[in-house]
Amino acid sequence: MASPSSHQVKSLARAAGFQLAGITTADPVEESQHYAQWLAQGYAGEMTYLYGRRAEMRADVRTLLPSARSVICLGLLYNTPVPYSTEWNLDDRAWISRYAWGDDYHDIMRLRMRELVDQLLAIAGFEWKISVDTSPVLERALAQRAGLGWIAKNTCLINQQIGSWVFLGEILTSLDLEPDSPPPSRCGSCTRCIEACPTQAILPAGVLDSRLCISYWTIELRGAIPEEHRAEAGPHVFGCDICQDVCPWNRRAPSTGDPAFAPREAAPPLERLATLTEEEFAEMFRSSPVSRARYAGFLRNVAVALGNSGNPRFVPALEKLAEHPSELVREHARWALDSLGVSR
């Protein structure tokens, strides 16, 4: 059987539901040096899984698939027609990052990527490996090299046509496919993302200090959110979209009609979240990225959002959280009560 052409690969990718598809070689990623420097400066915080052997593997996809010659980079649009967090001003609601409004993207991406692999295997035999977010791969660097977009100052990948609300995935393959070319950066002199970040986590030259990032605090961090920064977290209980909300390239971004990404509830009531049992949390966020925060971590985030609301009606809910079995939850609830001016 003849090998598929790059054009065929991209046509089949679009038929599988991907808005973006591009190809790059399996050559080592030059950006791995910047990644190593980023780790050395401590910007990864407590995300220990980014260090060690996995950090070394990110430089070369052939550590995952020795026969790899090409990488098929894919993008799936998840933007939905709901107001941005910067346009939302309800003190009784929590904000959940847009990417987590629907079903878990890992499952959706893997399923569609496997469909694409099966289509390609019907044309030619080859070795392959699917990577979606969790593998030691420098996704954005590969996607940029494959022509999907440029890496912006907020470190997100931006596509000129559809913005940055895009999930990324890669198919490592032994096929020898014609590569695409990277596009130029089109951020220009714009610094809106840097200026809008409430914690100043976005540093010059497109560097993100995770230790100051609301997404890191509310998703990845397992311990206490730094007390001196809790007020800056606002209503965010899982992730943060501010740097993408203010990006001019997202103002004309199309919306997806994919039911998998339809919002379950973008901004659920804080009071309801504060009363969730562990079983109710698991049920409410089943097959949702929000489950990554874990129950105690999520209630920690909710307590901070309640304290930042300025709304005294949340005092009873916080007093109950201040008696939670988890010291992590109790400590953040006490902080929130202090923020609301409640003496104990």
Side-chain angles (χ1 to χ4, degrees):
M1 293 187 290
S3 296
S5 66
S6 295
H7 176 74
Q8 280 180 295
V9 170
K10 287 182 272 192
S11 294
L12 289 170
R14 287 190 290 271
F18 294 101
Q19 285 77 28
L20 301 178
I23 295 166
T24 186
T25 67
D27 295 337
V29 180
E30 293 181 5
E31 286 80 359
S32 62
Q33 295 180 352
H34 299 297
Y35 179 68
Q37 293 171 2
W38 182 77
L39 290 175
Q41 290 172 302
Y43 291 144
E46 297 179 17
M47 294 184 284
T48 56
Y49 59 87
L50 297 178
Y51 293 86
R53 172 60 177 155
R54 290 177 67 84
E56 298 172 6
M57 293 173 68
R58 291 176 192 273
D60 193 339
V61 298
R62 289 171 294 196
T63 59
L64 293 174
L65 184 69
S67 63
R69 302 185 70 181
S70 302
V71 181
I72 303 168
C73 295
L74 302 162
L76 187 61
L77 177 70
Y78 67 88
N79 187 35
T80 52
V82 177
Y84 291 158
S85 64
T86 49
E87 302 168 351
W88 194 271
N89 191 28
L90 296 175
D91 65 11
D92 64 341
R93 298 275 173 160
W95 190 263
I96 292 175
S97 185
R98 186 174 298 263
Y99 87 89
W101 288 357
D103 296 337
D104 194 325
Y105 67 95
H106 296 91
D107 300 332
I108 297 164
M109 290 283 287
R110 286 193 188 99
L111 179 63
R112 297 183 186 181
M113 291 167 77
R114 182 55 204 259
E115 291 175 358
L116 174 56
V117 167
D118 288 342
Q119 291 287 324
L120 294 172
L121 286 171
I123 300 173
F126 58 92
E127 293 186 324
W128 55 275
K129 183 175 181 60
I130 285 174
S131 173
V132 182
D133 189 30
T134 54
S135 299
V137 170
L138 292 176
E139 288 191 308
R140 284 165 291 180
L142 288 169
Q144 177 176 249
R145 206 166 71 180
L148 269 59
W150 69 91
I151 299 176
K153 293 174 183 176
N154 64 358
T155 74
C156 293
L157 185 94
I158 298 180
N159 177 272
Q160 186 171 352
Q161 282 70 46
I162 66 176
S164 65
W165 307 110
V166 179
F167 294 127
L168 299 177
E170 301 78 39
I171 299 173
L172 317 182
T173 172
S174 59
L175 291 170
D176 189 9
L177 301 169
E178 183 181 355
D180 292 292
S181 300
S185 172
R186 299 187 185 278
C187 285
S189 61
C190 179
T191 55
R192 293 186 193 181
C193 59
I194 297 173
E195 295 162 1
C197 179
T199 63
Q200 298 182 326
I202 305 173
L203 307 179
V207 175
L208 178 73
D209 187 345
S210 297
R211 300 167 300 181
L212 296 175
C213 180
I214 293 172
S215 287
Y216 168 72
W217 296 337
T218 57
I219 301 174
E220 300 291 344
L221 186 63
R222 295 299 173 221
I225 295 173
E227 187 170 346
E228 66 272 22
H229 292 301
R230 291 177 191 175
E232 298 163 354
H236 299 88
V237 299
F238 188 84
C240 177
D241 295 326
I242 293 173
C243 66
Q244 295 188 84
D245 287 342
V246 301
C247 178
W249 290 103
N250 281 333
R251 283 298 155 181
R252 290 176 291 178
S255 298
T256 179
D258 195 325
F261 301 134
R264 298 181 179 189
E265 197 168 7
L270 276 166
E271 208 160 14
R272 174 154 61 89
L273 297 180
T275 63
L276 290 176
T277 65
E278 191 162 4
E279 293 73 22
E280 289 169 338
F281 170 78
E283 181 59 32
M284 183 174 184
F285 297 111
R286 189 181 305 280
S287 300
S288 163
V290 178
S291 62
R292 180 169 177 79
R294 303 180 187 176
Y295 178 59
F298 185 74
L299 288 185
R300 170 203 62 188
N301 302 340
V302 171
V304 171
L306 289 169
N308 288 334
S309 71
N311 195 331
R313 74 178 243 212
F314 292 141
V315 168
L318 281 168
E319 288 177 335
K320 186 173 181 180
L321 287 177
E323 298 176 354
H324 194 273
S326 168
E327 170 56 24
L328 181 70
V329 177
R330 293 198 301 270
E331 189 273 318
H332 286 75
R334 292 192 295 267
W335 174 87
L337 286 167
D338 289 341
S339 297
L340 293 179
V342 176
S343 57
R344 293 169 287 105

